Every structure is written in structure tokens, then in C-alpha cells.
Amino acid sequence: MTGVKELAYVVYEASSLSDWERFGVDLLGMQLADKNADALALRTDEKAYRWLVRRGPADDLVASGYEVADDAALDEIVGRLTSAGVEVTEGGTALAASRKVDRIVVTTDPMGNRVELVTGFADAGSPFHSDVLLGEFVTGTGGAGHQVLLSKGVPRETYLEFYEGLLGFRISDVIVEELAPGVVADLIFLRCNPRHHSVAFGDMPHPKKTHHFMIEVTDIRDVGRAYDRCMDAGQPFEMTLGMHPNDHMFSFYVRTPSGFSVEYGWGGLLVDDDTWQVKTLDRLHSWGHRSPEVVADLLSQASGKDVH
């Protein structure tokens, strides 16, 4: 079935663009592509941008852009959506120009998230450059990275009908873990290319639409260097260094200025569709990924000193 080929870009609304510029460029190693009083664009590769951050009070995700191979493929997906009773609108030339794409159609997923389906996502006019990275960000056929969104009580079969049945995503695996008595994290991971997942959905307590966006680097040293930069800058962490059992990503989680997180990782698994088998795992982390508070307490106990 013809489906989307990658997560091309994300659009966030943020109350502080200056904090976001510092976070994205100085701490994460992105390149500032463009900015004005109301928005900034961040690059991680040859594309014109991967993240758009516009001024506003939401401090959350406002749109996800998924690229489709061509107009014929987009028309096929639009046909499936409309046949299923899902409202779809052509974005028009002005929106296409602002997103730097040839064509854009807009729809909404069952959780109310805005989904933009695009063709012809433009390259930048100059090579990507980071002042702090030793290597590069991993994009290419895997797209910008992955994001984990909150299902907000919508039944799994409902949103899978949209993402799997209409947009053409494929299930990679499921993780169900009891985090505390009566608190269960139940996540499903979906792919549209060899990257283990481009989007995942979680049924867990969280105030935002998005839990995190993952960016991956080619050089493991850049994970450690970014970890130190974020720590030295006093940027709040959600989880310290660790590894996931399903996509094998070695990473840490740091809070954005908007309160949701960025997973900064290396070594993510690529899926071979011919041999992959869907599994259900019982833990989110192979090791590590502990909260900063837990790590601080353990270090305090180990040293015999109060490190708070």
C-alpha cells in the first residue's frame, strides 16, 4: 500500500523563541535556518529546515509534516482518507510556500493532532553546518527523527485505523510496563521507512500532546558532548543516559524550553521489513534512563555526602 515515506518536519508553538534558539543551536547542535520576530526555523541536514518554532502560548506540538513520494501517491492517500470520512483540505500555495514544499494537504488524526501531508520538501541553498557537532544528524531515508505522541484516551484501534490503515504505517512493536502500582505505560511504535519508528503513541499520564522528539547523531561522542553541554547550561533533564530494548537507541532525554523533551541518541536500529517480527516487550529501558532525582540520590548514598 502506498503510504507516507518519512516524518519530514514538525511545527511547535513556544512562548520563548530566544530560549529555543539557544537550546536548539547551542545545546543540541542544530543550525539556525531563519528567524524573525514570530518564528524560527532549525536545520539538522540538507533540508531547508526540520523544526519550525513559532511564537505562541501552547508550548506544544501544533503540526507534523509527513512527506509522500509524489502527487500520485498523495492523491491515493487523500482518496483513502476521504473514503473513510476523514476531512482533508488542500493547503494552498501560501501554506506550501511557508512550509517550503510543492504541495500540502491538511488533515487531523483521531487525537486532534494536525497532520500535514506534503510533496517536494525543499533542500536548503547551502550545506548543513553545526558549530558543535563532530559528526552529523541521522536523517536521509529515515526522515527527521521520531516523535512519541499521547493517545489521550483514544482507543488504539481507532488511531491505528488512521495511521496504519490510511497513512500506510507499519507496526514495529509494543511495550507495556507498569511504572508504579496502577500506572502503566503502554506504547506502540510505527514505522514508514527503515527507521525503527517515526511515530509512537503512548497511553500514559502527560500534560502535552507530545512526549518527545528524537534526534539521532552519527558519532557517539556527540551524545556525550551534548549531555555535558545541557548539564553545564542547567537545562532540565527528564532521563539520564540509557538504552531502549526495542530500537537499541543509546540516548538521554532533556527538557525543551516548552516542557516536553528531546531524546538525543545514537545507534538506532534499522528494520528489514522482510524479516522483522512484531513483539511485545515488558520494559521501556534496557538500562539507565533514570530520572535525575534518582541518580542524585544514588550518588549521594554512594559518596556519603548530600549532592543536592
Side-chain angles (χ1 to χ4, degrees), residues 41-95:
L42 297 168
R43 291 178 61 189
T44 59
D45 62 2
E46 79 283 354
K47 292 298 180 182
Y49 68 93
R50 290 292 190 175
W51 291 25
L52 290 177
V53 185
R54 70 189 194 197
R55 188 180 304 280
D59 278 312
D60 206 346
L61 177 73
V62 294
S64 302
Y66 294 98
E67 188 168 15
V68 176
D70 51 34
D71 278 338
L74 183 52
D75 288 339
E76 183 178 329
I77 296 172
V78 169
R80 289 200 298 267
L81 289 164
T82 54
S83 295
V86 178
E87 183 177 352
V88 181
T89 59
E90 289 283 344
T93 56
L95 182 59

Side-chain angles (χ1 to χ4, degrees), residues 216-266:
E216 185 178 0
V217 289
T218 60
D219 192 322
I220 192 173
R221 295 175 296 174
D222 279 320
V223 176
R225 286 160 60 96
Y227 189 80
D228 278 356
R229 288 194 300 272
C230 291
M231 190 171 294
D232 291 344
Q235 195 70 26
F237 282 73
E238 180 183 4
M239 287 183 277
T240 54
L241 291 165
M243 182 175 286
H244 292 297
N246 57 345
D247 67 353
H248 300 174
M249 191 72 70
F250 169 67
S251 63
F252 66 90
Y253 289 69
V254 63
R255 302 281 187 192
T256 69
S258 292
F260 58 89
S261 293
V262 163
E263 180 185 6
Y264 202 97
W266 171 88

Side-chain angles (χ1 to χ4, degrees), residues 8-273:
Y9 61 82
V10 282
V11 184
Y12 297 114
E13 190 173 277
S15 53
S16 176
L17 295 184
S18 59
D19 287 346
W20 262 94
E21 181 177 350
R22 167 183 167 273
F23 177 74
V25 176
D26 297 341
L27 301 187
L28 303 186
M30 297 177 175
Q31 179 181 355
L32 182 65
D34 190 23
K35 73 172 179 176
N36 56 43
D38 297 314
L40 59 87
L42 297 168
R43 291 178 61 189
T44 59
D45 62 2
E46 79 283 354
K47 292 298 180 182
Y49 68 93
R50 290 292 190 175
W51 291 25
L52 290 177
V53 185
R54 70 189 194 197
R55 188 180 304 280
D59 278 312
D60 206 346
L61 177 73
V62 294
S64 302
Y66 294 98
E67 188 168 15
V68 176
D70 51 34
D71 278 338
L74 183 52
D75 288 339
E76 183 178 329
I77 296 172
V78 169
R80 289 200 298 267
L81 289 164
T82 54
S83 295
V86 178
E87 183 177 352
V88 181
T89 59
E90 289 283 344
T93 56
L95 182 59
S98 71
R99 296 292 195 258
K100 301 188 184 300
V101 299
D102 291 340
R103 181 183 168 197
I104 180 169
V105 300
V106 180
T107 189
T108 305
D109 77 5
M111 280 72 69
N113 298 308
R114 178 181 170 105
V115 173
E116 300 178 352
L117 304 172
V118 304
T119 62
F121 187 34
D123 289 343
S126 60
F128 171 76
H129 172 74
S130 172
D131 289 334
V132 298
L133 289 187
L134 298 174
E136 300 174 333
F137 289 108
V138 177
T139 56
T141 58
H146 77 235
Q147 60 181 345
V148 174
L149 308 180
L150 282 301
S151 57
K152 299 297 183 182
V154 175
R156 179 158 292 168
E157 57 269 21
T158 301
Y159 62 76
L160 282 183
E161 182 179 348
F162 179 86
Y163 280 93
E164 185 183 19
L166 301 177
L167 298 190
F169 281 84
R170 302 174 295 284
I171 298 172
S172 291
D173 44 43
V174 176
I175 297 180
V176 181
E177 180 182 1
E178 186 174 19
L179 303 177
V183 180
V184 176
D186 185 354
L187 292 95
I188 189 165
F189 301 81
L190 307 176
R191 69 183 185 278
C192 58
N193 53 54
R195 192 186 289 278
H196 176 272
H197 58 285
S198 291
V199 65
F201 297 95
D203 180 11
M204 52 188 175
H206 196 274
K208 305 285 185 178
K209 294 179 179 180
T210 181
H211 178 271
H212 73 265
F213 192 100
M214 188 283 305
I215 50 175
E216 185 178 0
V217 289
T218 60
D219 192 322
I220 192 173
R221 295 175 296 174
D222 279 320
V223 176
R225 286 160 60 96
Y227 189 80
D228 278 356
R229 288 194 300 272
C230 291
M231 190 171 294
D232 291 344
Q235 195 70 26
F237 282 73
E238 180 183 4
M239 287 183 277
T240 54
L241 291 165
M243 182 175 286
H244 292 297
N246 57 345
D247 67 353
H248 300 174
M249 191 72 70
F250 169 67
S251 63
F252 66 90
Y253 289 69
V254 63
R255 302 281 187 192
T256 69
S258 292
F260 58 89
S261 293
V262 163
E263 180 185 6
Y264 202 97
W266 171 88
L269 181 71
L270 298 179
V271 170
D272 181 349
D273 280 331

Side-chain angles (χ1 to χ4, degrees), residues 241-244 250 285-290:
L241 291 165
M243 182 175 286
H244 292 297
F250 169 67
H285 316 289
S286 300
W287 61 269
H289 284 157
R290 300 184 180 191

